[in-house]
Amino acid sequence: SSYKYKFRLEKVPAKKLRLTKPSKSAALHVDLCKASSPTDALQYLLQFARKPVEADSVEGVVRILLEHYYKETDSSVRLKIASLLGLLSKTQGFTPDCIVDDVINTLNSERSHQVLAQLLDTLLVIGTQVPESLNMRHRLIDVACKHLTDTYFGVRNKCLQLFGCLGSVDKPLPRESEGGGTGMAAKDVQSIISDYFGDQDPRVRTAAIKAMACKLLSDDYEQVRSAAVQMVWVLSQLYPESIVPIPSSNEKIRLVDDSFGKICHMVSDGSWVVRVQAAKLLGSMQQVSPHFLEQTLDKKLMSDLRRKRTAHERAKELYSSGEFSSGRKWADDAPKEKVDTTAVNLIDSGACGAFVHGLEDEMYEVRIAAVEALCALAQSSPSFAEKCLDFLVDMFNDEIEEVRLQSIHVLRQISTHITLREDQLDTVLAVLEDSSRDIREALHELLCYTNVSTKECIQLALLELLKNLTKYPTDRNSVWKCLKFLGSRHPTLVLPIVPELLSTHPYFDTPEPDMDDPAYIAVLVLVFNAAKSCPTMTALFSDHTFRHYAYLRDSLSHLVPPLRLPGRKLTSAPEASGLASSVESAQNFLKESLTRVCSVQQLDAPGAQSLLEFTIRDLQRLGELQTELAGTADFCATYLHCQLLLMKALQDKLWSVAVPLYLKQNAMVSGAAAQVLEETYKLEFLYSGLESRQIASIHHVRLQAKALQLVLLARTRRGVEPLLSACEKFLHEVDAFQRLFVTELPHFQDSFVDKLLDIMPRLAGSKPADLVKILQTTLRHSCFPQLKLPEQIRRATAAIIEPTGESDNPLRFTSGLVVALDVDATLEHVQDPQTTVKVQVLYPDGQSHVIQPKPADFRKPGPGRHRLITQVYLSHSAWTEPCQIDVKLLLAYSSSTSRSLGPRSAWNESTEGPTPLESTIEGTIPLSKPVKVFIMPKPARR
């Protein structure tokens, strides 16, 4: 009996993996048949909407839904079915023209206005999915015409949307199409839509305007005016050079100029929402003529809707006529003709002073929008930038901090086009007394890139910055950086005042200043940066100035440049020549390096590894020499390092000997696989500017690392269940890769994933042991896919400014209580830092605390840059002596928010969490170097 029992055990069939796809339409039909009430049917439909549907199942699902639609008496269920039809028609890979007839037929029997509107919305979705079918577009326009006279505003709205999206402007509609009426002449789409500009329902008027631009800028309903402004702007962008006539005039102007005047007029609208919208749109109209653009800053007011002439103009006219008004005749100087106030040119009344009104608006949102629009227009017109300078400087005194801050940022962006006068600089520098740290630092940033006209301006700026330094010592680094750029931009203006700044005398020795004085360091930073472009300036230095230069060059090398001093060698790094002399040559070298690496498959293992190691070293050096390509070079080096680790882990000698004899090598392979996984998350989340192809390459490497871990699991662990679960999970990840990167698969020919997808049906039915053998063979014999680079890749970096880590005085506090540690850090190229950046505190005993800063702690001083100013609360039990803690920044990531997944589909909007095929992996990546801080928790007094 025992022999039979063993024989039965041996005959037990092995478990096989199988991926099945249940029928969506059958399940839906069963659910709807089970529904005993409209509420149950709605519940089943809502549950179904949360599940994805494959393209080949859509038509069957639509038939089931339509069958239930005709049976259903409850309008809310029919409404949901009509909504699902629109969602289904958006399914990728499904052509919705096969269901058009069915949806149109449902319109004929439908009595509910809301369901009718939803069905028309579904037809709109279908029409936009198949825009090339003219026959379908004509059919849908006919349907819209028949329902245009519906009493429900929602139906009329959807009909107008169909006209706007699918209608043609070059062909009139046949008379039988228009509402089914008779005796009507053929109309074009524009005429039909314009009939609804005067609809009694404001929502229909809004829909009509959105379908075609109109002249209802003076409508009494705010939403209508808003839509009108938007459509006037759209027309100006589509046909800017079209010539249009001016009403009640023989003149003609460009459409973009006419639109600019109309939108300028709306800056004085009664609704602040419309005023904000109009001001924002003005900033994007950069094709407007300079004449109309400059009128927006013209403070000449109107008298009876006419510009008042200056005294010189009036005197010149009287002189040419030979007589002056005697005052004896009644109204002898009255206007010669009457003015029609309703027909006055909008360019004269609208554009004139539009930005003046916007900058003086009572709502701060309008003022901010006007400031941003000024910035956008001034960046494309240097002459306009000069004219708007006084207005922007005046905004520095606004009562709202946000307006002041935005004005400073705007002036910084247009600073290359302007030079500040002394009176303007005086107004700007007055802001340095502001109590807001953000305002002061933004002004320091502005002064870094500002041009001034005289040496008195340099003296004034230096004096006010030193006052700022005395009043707010925490601004030290920001003030020093400001003076660095101020000196390098104005060397000729600094030269005449060097003796005064350094307190030197041609005959007498002066006392040596204190090097610990931040104000003296600030003066030296200004002078040394000016001396870089002015070789004669060093002759004015005293002996102690040279000693102070050597000290600051070592301690503040980022602020003090290398100088060619008399009798001393140039204290600078050797100039990068050849390879890194220009960005273009560096880019060519980068491309050649990646092309050369593709030949590693033809080399033996030692030669391939050496090639990868040398290429990684070259790329790292290239990133150090050429800062413009640092992100791209680091990305490539890290990617190649992953390939090198995989290559070393797949060496023949590690896999040709029995497992017990190579436990050490297995540990090395396991460590390499874990390191590759960690590096792939850095590649995906630490670099910005990546395209879908680079994301696919990263996921491909990650898939290889997971396959290697699966092979190691089979070699080191016993038991079927863990291996079976791991194999099933891996196959799901391969399937997910195929779905996510289906458009990129042609670039992965003969790669690891390409070979797996070729034998995917066989893998799904294989035993776990056979699957592992296939993976091991495929890993060792797959090709190295070439890495193609986008235009530019930027690496996210961070640097902690405070604490500096240089203080030997411990931060003392009572154990059990908390102490606040100020943290000040700069972030470069970090996406969404409010949710991803965290502060980690590591204590000497191994405890680690991770703190999430508040969103308000982040500032954005410039594009791609953020500033973190926050407080971290420390607490610990009592220590016998001071010890150091590590403070550093982390970048948190979640694989469910991967850039490769893109926007969630309409079917997954309501699902909670990722689908079972894509497990969420969360982690953190070190973003900055750790800073050590001395702390001393004291025992509590009893």
Side-chain angles (χ1 to χ4, degrees):
S1 60
S2 61
Y3 175 79
K4 291 181 179 179
Y5 179 70
K6 292 180 181 178
F7 181 77
R8 287 173 184 169
L9 283 178
E10 293 175 358
K11 288 295 184 178
V12 173
K15 294 184 179 180
K16 295 185 179 181
L17 302 174
R18 182 174 300 170
L19 300 175
T20 59
K21 295 181 180 179
S23 171
K24 301 288 183 182
S25 55
L28 179 63
H29 179 67
V30 172
D31 288 341
L32 291 177
C33 290
K34 288 193 299 183
S36 58
S37 66
T39 305
D40 292 342
L42 270 178
Q43 193 64 32
Y44 288 130
L45 291 172
L46 288 171
Q47 292 175 0
F48 177 76
R50 298 189 182 104
K51 304 173 184 176
V53 178
E54 295 79 12
D56 51 359
S57 305
V58 171
E59 191 168 358
V61 171
V62 169
R63 301 300 169 201
I64 295 298
L65 289 173
L66 287 171
E67 180 182 348
H68 192 79
Y69 177 92
Y70 288 112
K71 298 178 183 178
E72 184 58 52
T73 57
D74 190 90
S75 60
S76 61
V77 179
R78 297 201 307 275
L79 181 67
K80 184 60 182 177
I81 292 176
S83 173
L84 286 176
L85 292 176
L87 279 177
L88 284 166
S89 63
K90 295 179 183 178
T91 305
Q92 190 173 3
F94 173 68
T95 306
D97 53 1
C98 59
I99 65 172
V100 173
D101 293 331
D102 299 300
V103 178
I104 293 177
N105 291 335
T106 58
L107 289 168
N108 300 327
S109 59
E110 186 55 57
R111 293 293 176 265
S112 169
H113 295 292
Q114 292 180 333
V115 180
L116 267 176
Q118 187 60 55
L119 288 171
L120 289 168
D121 184 75
T122 298
L123 289 176
L124 176 62
V125 171
I126 295 174
T128 53
Q129 293 290 319
V130 195
E132 64 277 359
S133 175
L134 290 177
N135 186 32
M136 181 187 296
R137 290 172 61 180
H138 290 155
R139 289 190 62 193
L140 297 181
I141 290 296
D142 289 343
V143 171
C145 289
K146 292 176 183 178
H147 292 87
L148 255 179
T149 56
D150 195 281
T151 57
Y152 182 58
F153 80 92
V155 176
R156 301 202 299 278
N157 277 4
K158 294 302 176 184
C159 291
L160 290 170
Q161 287 184 29
L162 277 167
F163 276 120
C165 295
L166 306 178
S168 175
V169 298
D170 52 355
K171 292 184 179 179
L173 297 175
R175 69 180 63 186
E176 59 268 19
S177 298
E178 296 167 17
T182 57
M184 292 178 65
K187 277 190 175 183
D188 56 6
V189 172
Q190 300 97 306
S191 299
I192 294 177
I193 295 177
S194 63
D195 292 341
Y196 289 84
F197 287 164
D199 193 280
Q200 61 182 0
D201 195 305
R203 291 165 290 193
V204 178
R205 298 201 299 270
T206 303
I209 296 169
K210 288 180 179 178
M212 185 183 71
C214 67
K215 300 178 181 178
L216 294 182
L217 290 169
S218 57
D219 193 274
D220 58 353
Y221 189 63
E222 172 187 315
Q223 189 177 355
V224 180
R225 297 198 303 275
S226 177
V229 170
Q230 184 70 31
M231 294 313 300
V232 167
W233 175 83
V234 169
L235 278 181
S236 73
Q237 302 303 302
L238 292 176
Y239 314 106
E241 300 301 327
S242 298
I243 305 299
V244 295
I246 300 176
S248 304
S249 172
N250 295 327
E251 299 179 13
K252 294 184 178 181
I253 58 173
R254 297 161 66 225
L255 178 61
V256 65
D257 295 334
D258 188 38
S259 302
F260 185 78
K262 286 178 166 61
I263 297 177
C264 280
H265 183 72
M266 301 308 290
V267 175
S268 303
D269 191 85
S271 167
W272 71 269
V273 177
V274 177
R275 298 201 299 272
V276 169
Q277 182 189 20
K280 287 182 177 179
L281 292 178
L282 288 178
S284 59
M285 303 182 72
Q286 298 176 0
Q287 296 172 295
V288 68
S289 301
H291 170 63
F292 296 118
L293 188 60
E294 292 170 5
Q295 279 190 14
T296 59
L297 300 174
D298 195 351
K299 283 193 171 182
K300 297 172 188 154
L301 298 178
M302 302 284 187
S303 177
D304 293 330
L305 295 176
R306 294 186 178 279
R307 182 177 69 83
K308 286 186 176 181
R309 293 172 296 169
T310 64
H312 290 288
E313 291 173 334
R314 292 196 300 270
K316 182 179 179 181
E317 183 178 345
L318 292 172
Y319 177 77
S320 60
S321 64
E323 62 175 291
F324 287 85
S325 173
S326 62
R328 294 179 180 178
K329 296 181 181 179
W330 177 259
D332 61 349
D333 58 348
K336 297 297 186 291
E337 74 276 359
K338 294 183 179 180
V339 179
D340 184 4
T341 57
T342 61
V344 70
N345 181 8
L346 280 179
I347 285 294
D348 293 336
S349 63
C352 186
F355 279 123
V356 177
H357 296 308
L359 294 175
E360 296 175 354
D361 197 277
E362 62 179 352
M363 303 297 292
Y364 82 93
E365 293 91 348
V366 181
R367 300 200 296 273
I368 289 179
V371 166
E372 292 172 348
L374 270 179
C375 171
L377 294 171
Q379 284 179 310
S380 59
S381 174
S383 61
F384 184 70
E386 293 179 7
K387 289 181 172 62
C388 70
L389 180 57
D390 283 323
F391 296 94
L392 287 175
V393 170
D394 286 342
M395 298 306 292
F396 284 17
N397 298 318
D398 196 274
E399 60 183 359
I400 302 297
E401 178 179 334
E402 189 176 348
V403 179
R404 298 199 302 271
L405 191 60
Q406 190 61 32
S407 303
I408 296 172
H409 289 324
V410 163
L411 198 57
R412 151 74 182 87
Q413 294 178 49
I414 65 173
S415 58
T416 54
H417 301 303
I418 58 176
T419 299
L420 289 178
R421 302 188 309 269
E422 190 171 349
D423 60 311
Q424 294 169 334
L425 182 64
D426 195 28
T427 305
V428 169
L429 293 173
V431 185
L432 287 174
E433 297 183 5
D434 198 296
S435 60
S436 169
R437 182 172 183 170
D438 294 338
I439 294 286
R440 297 196 307 274
E441 291 188 350
L443 195 70
H444 296 157
E445 185 82 10
L446 167 63
L447 292 175
C448 287
Y449 301 95
T450 298
N451 299 316
V452 296
S453 51
T454 63
K455 65 182 179 65
E456 286 76 16
C457 291
I458 295 289
Q459 289 177 308
L460 179 62
L462 178 61
L463 180 63
E464 294 299 326
L465 286 169
L466 293 181
K467 288 182 181 178
N468 175 198
L469 194 58
T470 303
K471 189 174 182 180
Y472 301 103
T474 55
D475 291 355
R476 183 182 64 180
N477 290 309
S478 183
V479 169
W480 288 350
K481 177 189 172 187
C482 173
L483 288 169
K484 169 191 172 181
F485 284 92
L486 203 61
S488 61
R489 294 177 73 90
H490 307 92
T492 57
L493 299 181
V494 175
L495 178 61
I497 59 175
V498 166
E500 181 182 349
L501 296 178
L502 298 180
S503 301
T504 57
H505 194 275
Y507 307 117
F508 303 106
D509 284 338
T510 54
E512 182 175 347
D514 183 9
M515 272 303 296
D516 292 331
D517 183 7
Y520 177 60
I521 295 177
V523 173
L524 290 181
V525 168
L526 173 73
V527 172
F528 290 153
N529 281 277
K532 184 180 180 181
S533 305
C534 186
T536 60
M537 192 180 295
T538 55
L540 302 174
F541 294 175
S542 58
D543 290 339
H544 62 257
T545 307
F546 290 114
R547 293 198 306 271
H548 295 168
Y549 167 78
Y551 171 75
L552 292 178
R553 177 65 188 148
D554 290 334
S555 59
L556 298 174
S557 57
H558 63 289
L559 295 174
V560 178
L563 299 179
R564 191 180 298 276
L565 301 178
R568 294 174 174 83
K569 293 183 179 179
L570 181 66
T571 57
S572 66
E575 292 292 331
S577 59
L579 171 66
S581 60
S582 67
V583 176
E584 185 177 357
S585 61
Q587 287 175 334
N588 293 334
F589 176 79
L590 191 61
K591 293 176 182 177
E592 291 171 2
S593 299
L594 293 178
T595 305
R596 186 170 59 249
V597 165
C598 293
S599 63
V600 294
Q601 301 295 336
Q602 285 77 35
L603 303 176
D604 56 353
Q609 292 181 20
S610 298
L611 176 60
L612 282 176
E613 289 171 351
F614 289 142
T615 306
I616 292 170
R617 184 198 62 188
D618 290 343
L619 291 175
Q620 290 173 342
R621 181 60 177 155
L622 175 64
E624 295 172 1
L625 293 174
Q626 197 65 261
T627 55
E628 292 85 353
L629 295 176
T632 306
D634 289 344
F635 177 85
C636 296
T638 307
Y639 179 81
L640 294 181
H641 185 237
C642 292
Q643 298 292 347
L644 178 61
L645 290 172
L646 288 173
M647 186 178 294
K648 289 181 178 180
L650 294 170
Q651 293 179 23
D652 292 337
K653 65 180 182 180
L654 297 181
W655 305 93
S656 58
V657 184
V659 176
L661 301 179
Y662 272 88
L663 292 177
K664 182 178 179 182
Q665 282 79 356
N666 280 329
M668 187 274 289
V669 173
S670 177
Q675 187 178 355
V676 170
L677 281 178
E678 183 181 348
E679 295 291 334
T680 58
Y681 287 115
K682 288 183 181 179
L683 287 172
E684 184 171 3
F685 296 101
L686 208 55
Y687 295 87
S688 58
L690 302 181
E691 298 172 353
S692 177
R693 184 164 175 182
Q694 290 81 48
I695 299 290
S697 299
I698 295 169
H699 279 249
H700 180 255
V701 175
R702 188 179 301 162
L703 209 58
Q704 288 177 288
K706 290 182 177 180
L708 186 58
Q709 287 183 331
L710 182 57
V711 173
L712 284 173
L713 178 66
R715 287 167 62 91
T716 55
R717 288 190 182 182
R718 295 185 179 180
V720 178
E721 290 300 329
L723 186 59
L724 184 67
S725 175
C727 290
E728 184 177 358
K729 182 179 179 182
F730 180 78
L731 287 180
H732 281 313
E733 288 177 348
V734 175
D735 184 57
F737 182 93
Q738 182 182 16
R739 288 187 291 105
L740 293 172
F741 304 109
V742 63
T743 58
E744 306 297 335
L745 288 178
H747 303 299
F748 289 86
Q749 291 184 358
D750 296 329
S751 66
F752 172 71
V753 71
D754 185 53
K755 293 183 178 180
L756 287 186
L757 292 175
D758 287 343
I759 57 174
M760 192 63 180
R762 175 185 162 194
L763 292 178
S766 299
K767 300 178 183 178
D770 296 336
L771 174 62
V772 169
K773 290 180 181 178
I774 294 173
L775 288 179
Q776 182 176 336
T777 305
T778 309
L779 274 172
R780 297 173 59 190
H781 296 92
S782 56
C783 291
F784 179 85
Q786 184 175 3
L787 180 65
K788 183 182 178 183
L789 296 176
E791 290 185 5
Q792 192 169 28
I793 299 176
R794 297 191 181 277
R795 180 189 168 119
T797 58
I800 297 178
I801 302 173
E802 294 287 343
T804 59
E806 299 172 352
S807 177
D808 294 331
N809 296 324
L811 191 61
R812 300 179 184 274
F813 61 98
T814 303
S815 63
L817 301 181
V818 296
V819 64
L821 176 68
D822 292 326
V823 175
D824 185 356
T826 58
L827 311 174
E828 300 279 347
H829 312 299
V830 178
Q831 297 179 337
D832 194 17
Q834 288 86 354
T835 57
T836 57
V837 174
K838 303 179 186 297
V839 183
Q840 183 188 47
V841 179
L842 185 62
Y843 292 93
D845 60 356
Q847 291 187 39
S848 175
H849 294 168
V850 177
I851 299 99
Q852 173 74 56
K854 296 179 294 185
D857 292 340
F858 292 91
R859 282 84 167 168
K860 189 174 182 181
R865 296 168 50 211
H866 288 85
R867 182 82 175 273
L868 172 62
I869 302 175
T870 187
Q871 282 189 329
V872 174
Y873 294 102
L874 310 176
S875 181
H876 209 281
S877 56
W879 296 352
T880 56
E881 60 183 23
C883 285
Q884 290 180 331
I885 61 171
D886 283 346
V887 180
K888 66 179 177 181
L889 300 184
L890 302 177
L891 183 72
Y893 66 85
S894 172
S895 62
S896 63
T897 59
S898 169
R899 281 168 283 185
S900 61
L901 299 180
R904 298 174 73 90
S905 66
W907 299 100
N908 292 334
E909 287 176 355
S910 302
T911 56
E912 297 180 359
T915 61
L917 297 184
E918 297 138 8
S919 58
T920 301
I921 297 178
E922 297 181 348
T924 56
I925 303 170
L927 192 59
S928 70
K929 294 180 180 179
V931 174
K932 296 188 179 298
V933 179
F934 258 119
I935 67 170
M936 176 57 187
K938 301 180 297 182
R941 293 181 180 179
R942 298 186 181 274

